[in-house]
Amino acid sequence: EDEWNEGGAYDQHPEWRGQDKLGQSTPRLSYAHQGVRDLVVSFLKEMATYPVDGICLAYNRRPPYLEYEQPLIDGFSSKFGKDPRQLDSKDPQWLSFRASIMTLFMTELRQGLADVQNRLNRNKPFEISAIVLSSEDENLYYGLDLEQWVKKDLVDTLMPYSSVWGIDSSQHSWADPGSA
């Protein structure tokens, strides 16, 4: 069964869907949910059983990867005593907290690939590369703390993606850079 298309994980697990600040479902699965992270890691581990040198994650596709899902709201409220929905969407404490979940995912992926490496008696570790957004601020806004990934050796290659169209994080939509 195809987990990503009709009848797949999105349809089977509506509780894993992203949620905006108002609690409305968004058209993506959220990495805030352990089940989503486990599912993605399991797919990538399966891919690693084929003759590949590594995995490339395309984080330039369909951000955000997490938004205002209940596990994030509960975790942030527990840690900081604040409801993140009442904060500015660019609040540094909130952005850092959200990014810690994607760093957790990258940690789970690195460990999962190490497990496959050991199971296959492979000498060379699988490389992890990531196509990321164009700036540090833009990446952090969408939950990617690249500095932590590098510090924790969670990624081998980062490839910033830049296009003719840019993401206007303040409006959370695509904007023509010429109109700024």
Side-chain angles (χ1 to χ4, degrees):
E1 182 174 318
D2 184 347
E3 288 294 331
W4 297 112
N5 292 310
E6 191 172 324
Y10 184 83
D11 290 335
Q12 291 174 21
H13 295 282
E15 73 277 12
W16 290 353
R17 293 178 186 170
Q19 289 188 324
D20 66 18
K21 213 171 192 178
L22 300 175
Q24 301 297 311
S25 275
T26 57
R28 63 187 57 84
L29 296 175
S30 171
Y31 285 81
H33 300 285
Q34 184 67 54
V36 171
R37 295 193 310 272
D38 290 345
L39 183 64
V40 174
V41 169
S42 73
F43 284 144
L44 295 172
K45 285 172 60 176
E46 180 182 343
M47 289 173 58
T49 65
Y50 293 92
V52 298
D53 292 326
I55 302 294
C56 180
L57 303 164
Y59 285 117
N60 61 314
R61 305 284 298 168
R62 293 197 39 95
Y65 317 104
L66 32 71
E67 298 170 84
Y68 289 88
E69 295 76 31
Q70 203 60 51
L72 292 174
I73 293 168
D74 293 345
F76 187 82
S77 296
S78 174
K79 185 170 184 176
F80 299 106
K82 302 175 197 173
D83 183 335
R85 295 167 294 190
Q86 304 303 315
L87 302 173
D88 184 275
S89 64
K90 293 182 180 178
D91 180 89
Q93 203 171 43
W94 171 239
L95 295 180
S96 179
F97 181 81
R98 281 190 348 172
S100 71
I101 302 303
M102 291 304 291
T103 299
L104 174 61
F105 166 71
M106 293 296 289
T107 303
E108 293 164 346
L109 175 59
R110 180 63 89 185
Q111 182 57 56
L113 293 178
D115 294 345
V116 173
Q117 176 190 344
N118 291 335
R119 193 173 70 237
L120 297 177
N121 292 318
R122 180 184 159 116
N123 292 331
K124 186 178 177 189
F126 291 99
E127 291 192 16
I128 298 175
S129 57
I131 303 168
V132 296
L133 304 168
S134 63
S135 72
E136 184 178 352
D137 287 343
E138 187 177 26
N139 280 291
L140 192 57
Y141 181 79
Y142 288 114
L144 311 178
D145 187 341
L146 306 182
E147 185 177 340
Q148 285 300 309
W149 295 6
V150 170
K151 278 183 186 176
K152 295 180 178 199
D153 195 29
L154 301 176
V155 66
D156 300 293
T157 305
L158 290 169
M159 297 168 278
Y161 173 81
S162 183
S163 71
V164 174
W165 300 95
I167 295 176
D168 179 354
S169 301
S170 67
Q171 299 299 315
H172 198 136
S173 64
W174 292 96
D176 177 350
S179 67

